[in-house]
Amino acid sequence: MENEEDVYPLLEKTTPSERKPQYPTLWTLMAVTVALVLYSLSICWVTKVVIQGPSRPQLHAPASNFPHPDEKEYVIQTTGKRGNAWTHGLVYGKSSPQVDQAWFDMLRPFNTRVPAERYESSMNNRSSVRLSDGSGDYYVTLTMYHDLHCLMRFRWFLDPQYYANKTWEEQANDAGLMGHYRHCLWSLLESVMCAGDTSMRTFHWDPKKPAPKPDSPTDRKCVNWDWLYKWTLDRSFLLSDRMLSHPKYGLLDEWLKPVNERKNM
């Protein structure tokens, strides 16, 4: 019979208390650590999704804004009142040359010039008319001034006899005029939905009526209008400056009519 020690050479004749303890290797410890970290991160992610909902992509302000939102100045002000005497007159003032001039003054920066470098770096190859003064600047209108133009037109709508020498019925039957008003209504609707102003307007109880009564004044973050108006005014021009030249009809006057045609009349 073979020697038992030869058959089982790896067996040690030691008692359990005499055996050396077995320690985990370094790789085992690292694997366990990584597993625990990944597990912890997954728990944190699931918790965030449950509490906050899935993450949404962060959108940055369009580069086509001019000025860029980061350049603007903002103020906190209470709106919903009748404002100062100037803005009150724009809305409630009786139709007159003075009120009309106030609107025209507010719309003075309607025709805006944008430096070529700024325009071309932000408009994704979308073309626009260039000024004819050799500067290379582009001709644009800022949306806020287009919307103000529309509000002015709606003011005209409220007094058709003064502004169009027409009755309400005649104004309503003027297809071209009503088409312009619908265009303006659409533009204002788009602007409201795009801006999505979420400032809160409150209510109070009226002791004489059961329904809650809305409060007009509310605090809002607004652009500093004085700053913005001056900023755009410094970058605008008048049509009477004759800076627009059509490639076919040539230089245009303040009525956007070819200057050469007027000379030949």
Side-chain angles (χ1 to χ4, degrees):
M1 185 175 179
E2 297 181 359
N3 191 325
E4 194 170 303
E5 293 182 356
D6 295 332
V7 177
Y8 305 107
L10 300 181
L11 292 180
E12 299 181 10
K13 295 181 179 179
T14 58
T15 63
S17 60
E18 296 175 330
R19 294 173 184 170
K20 297 180 180 180
Q22 299 296 317
Y23 297 103
T25 64
L26 178 60
W27 289 108
T28 302
L29 291 174
M30 291 179 62
V32 172
T33 302
V34 170
L36 289 174
V37 170
L38 292 176
Y39 176 76
S40 300
L41 290 175
S42 65
I43 292 297
C44 292
W45 181 83
V46 171
T47 303
K48 178 183 177 183
V49 170
V50 171
I51 296 176
Q52 300 180 352
S55 60
R56 298 175 181 177
Q58 296 298 313
L59 299 180
H60 299 286
S64 59
N65 279 4
F66 186 69
H68 191 277
D70 293 343
E71 298 178 80
K72 294 180 183 177
E73 291 184 6
Y74 293 90
V75 294
I76 302 298
Q77 66 184 49
T78 301
T79 62
K81 298 180 180 179
R82 291 194 172 186
N84 56 37
W86 178 70
T87 54
H88 184 270
L90 291 173
V91 177
Y92 296 99
K94 184 179 180 180
S95 299
S96 67
Q98 292 76 21
V99 171
D100 293 342
Q101 188 61 50
W103 275 96
F104 293 146
D105 288 343
M106 184 167 60
L107 287 167
R108 168 65 174 76
F110 187 88
N111 301 299
T112 306
R113 58 189 306 157
V114 184
E117 182 180 356
R118 177 97 180 245
Y119 181 92
E120 293 168 0
S121 66
S122 61
M123 290 300 288
N124 298 322
N125 297 320
R126 181 171 180 172
S127 63
S128 189
V129 170
R130 284 188 186 242
L131 301 186
S132 60
D133 62 352
S135 64
D137 292 355
Y138 286 85
Y139 171 40
V140 303
T141 291
L142 304 186
T143 299
M144 65 176 183
Y145 286 114
H146 178 266
D147 290 347
L148 285 172
H149 155 81
C150 283
L151 289 174
M152 182 181 70
R153 292 299 299 247
F154 277 120
R155 190 184 187 286
W156 293 0
F157 179 84
L158 297 175
D159 196 349
Q161 191 67 46
Y162 181 87
Y163 288 106
N165 195 27
K166 294 183 178 182
T167 64
W168 283 94
E169 291 76 15
E170 289 172 334
Q171 178 175 253
N173 291 326
D174 188 326
L177 194 61
M178 297 308 293
H180 195 155
Y181 284 124
R182 288 191 176 90
H183 156 75
C184 278
L185 183 62
W186 176 256
S187 178
L188 292 170
L189 175 62
E190 283 189 321
S191 289
V192 170
M193 295 178 70
C194 179
D197 188 347
T198 56
S199 55
M200 294 184 285
R201 297 201 168 203
T202 57
F203 296 83
H204 67 272
W205 291 115
D206 188 333
K208 298 181 180 180
K209 296 180 180 180
K213 190 174 182 179
D215 301 313
S216 292
T218 184
D219 291 335
R220 303 163 75 182
K221 177 183 177 182
C222 302
V223 67
N224 184 334
W225 176 257
D226 292 337
W227 176 89
L228 184 58
Y229 179 81
K230 184 181 184 305
W231 195 96
T232 52
L233 185 64
D234 292 342
R235 293 160 176 79
S236 66
F237 66 96
L238 295 174
L239 294 180
S240 59
D241 296 332
R242 298 188 176 183
M243 291 191 180
L244 300 178
S245 183
H246 191 280
K248 177 180 178 181
Y249 298 103
L251 195 65
L252 305 180
D253 63 15
E254 58 269 31
W255 305 106
L256 297 180
K257 301 293 185 181
V259 172
N260 292 333
E261 287 186 5
R262 298 188 65 179
K263 289 181 178 180
N264 297 329
M265 291 178 61

